[in-house]
Amino acid sequence: MQNNMINRWILIIGTIILSVLFLINDIAYYNSNNESTLSKKNPSFLFDNKVINLGLDLQGGKEFLLAAKIDTWLKQLFDSQNQNVLSDERKALFNALSDFYSTHESNNNVTFTLDSLSLYLEKSDNTIKITDLFNGKDKEAIYKDLKDALKTNVNIIRNRIDDKGVIEPTIRIVGDKISVQIPGKQNINRLESIITSSAKLEFSEVIKGPNLTPYEWNHFINLKTSKWPALKNLLSKDLETNLLFLKKENISLFKDELIKLEASEHWFTNYKFIYYDAKSDPRFSNSVNNGDKLLCVVLKKPIIEGKQVIDANTSTDQGLTSGYVVNLKLDSKKGIDKTESAASIWSNYTEKNIGKMVALTLDDNIMTSPVIRSKIPNGECIITGFETISEASHVSTQLKHGKLNLPLKIDYKKNSGPELGKKMIELGIFAFIIGISCVIVFMIIYYKNAGVIASLALLLNIIFMTSILSLLGATLTLPGIAGFILTIGIAVDANVIIFERIKEEIQKGLPPLSAIESGYNRAFITIIDANITTLLTAFILFILGSGPIKGFAITLSAGIICSMFTAIFVT
């Protein structure tokens, strides 16, 4: 009996210490009045680097308006339906895009639309219409496909931002654009990448790039781009090393010029340029700035595509480095048309191409470029080179939830203030304090000493619940505060059942200690039954729900588990 009590006290004290440790980050974060501190990466204490975020209604956040990159989408749509890279229809489409870019070269605010496509098709080729490009689909049918792609993107963006259902972003379609509101001010740069990155993953064979010496690489790029002055003029040269590289601000212009060339240059039917982070390579880091890229050439047809990856997760690097990796699992099932599985394709390729370099690219940016050392038979591979777990998780989250069906760009962004006024927020906090106080006062008045113990357990319950929300990085809104109060109110229900059982046993004439033991034993089954039933409901909400519903399920589950712990082990 004494050993059980010691073990119980060790468990209670250990849980309290662990909960307080989880809340240290939150205390430090919200005690800082420096705006720049709040906008930076969350602080980190020991193993914990998450805090409870305040929702849009309490703190405000960042609002993005995302516009569709219709020109890129139409090009992808056409290529997916027409495999003939030399067809007249493809030339007509690319010529129309090229004419549009040339006409509006000095005005980047003009957006390419379906009407633009009709207009420039007529200018460049009077015989080919939109219906000829897209298997008989007219402008209205393509516009419907555009709206469907927007709806799909909303779900993908929501899952990328809020895969656990605890951040509660506001995402909706506004006309032909997507509005995204994200609560809080931390990690905004990372979120910008998450909501706009197409996450087009490809494994491609490297023709010219990191597999060459710096001199050979640079010499090849110089010769190749000399054929196309429009591309060559966008490259910069380091005066000391003669290194040719692409400045960060010229990358989008370079990609626009490539679209113009792809319509007429046969070379681009078999090869393409991809981009290598020059700053990450110690051979070139002193010659470039962050964001600058080196050009590489790969085979245009990828070995493996992102849609063939069935799982992506993050883990520590088991090698000599202290970095992190993204583990990929390729599909091992054959296609409907009995085509070879991705795992089998990768196995055969690695067996036949030992010694060759493969580039793993995300949106044509090289993440890693390993040299094949041996056959990889099990359909598993890793992406290395991540210094922090957040960088690795950023990539795995995008891959796990799929590629955006419609490429997006940020039309504008702004900081949004709290949706509720300062007075309403203060009243919400005041209601929380009053609600908890009323419960505590009632318990003490009605149950005397037992009520004091129950009230202490209630305060511990608040600490435990808050630490769980902090551990998850959850977002707290005003309705969330109301739900928090409700959960705390329900938490004393177990104590009420136990105390009433004890009173019944005392009225029957049992001694106090026997009445306490009997009361707990009789109430235990009732408490377990009620809470497990509620937990099952929360589990169903988490599985079937999304966004705020999933977040509510997590909060409800945390409250139930904490109330059961305090009722059974503490009181």
Side-chain angles (χ1 to χ4, degrees), residues 398-462:
Q398 293 180 74
L399 297 179
K400 188 183 301 181
H401 295 296
K403 179 172 76 94
L404 291 179
N405 295 331
L406 179 64
L408 300 172
K409 63 181 179 180
I410 296 177
D411 200 19
Y412 83 89
K413 58 184 177 181
K414 68 174 185 178
N415 292 320
S416 58
E419 295 175 353
L420 298 173
K422 183 179 179 181
K423 187 68 175 177
M424 290 296 295
I425 295 173
E426 291 175 351
L427 287 174
I429 297 172
F430 181 71
F432 174 80
I433 296 172
I434 292 297
I436 300 301
S437 301
C438 287
V439 172
I440 291 175
V441 169
F442 171 80
M443 292 296 292
I444 293 175
I445 292 175
Y446 195 80
Y447 291 109
K448 305 297 188 296
N449 293 336
V452 173
I453 297 173
S455 298
L456 291 174
L458 189 61
L459 294 176
L460 288 178
N461 195 33
I462 295 173

Side-chain angles (χ1 to χ4, degrees), residues 453-474:
I453 297 173
S455 298
L456 291 174
L458 189 61
L459 294 176
L460 288 178
N461 195 33
I462 295 173
I463 294 174
F464 296 156
M465 273 197 67
T466 307
S467 67
I468 290 176
L469 294 178
S470 174
L471 181 63
L472 294 172

Side-chain angles (χ1 to χ4, degrees), residues 164-185:
K164 292 185 179 69
V166 293
I167 295 179
E168 299 189 21
T170 300
I171 306 173
R172 63 184 187 275
I173 296 176
V174 181
D176 294 335
K177 300 179 180 180
I178 298 177
S179 172
V180 181
Q181 292 179 308
I182 305 170
K185 296 183 177 66

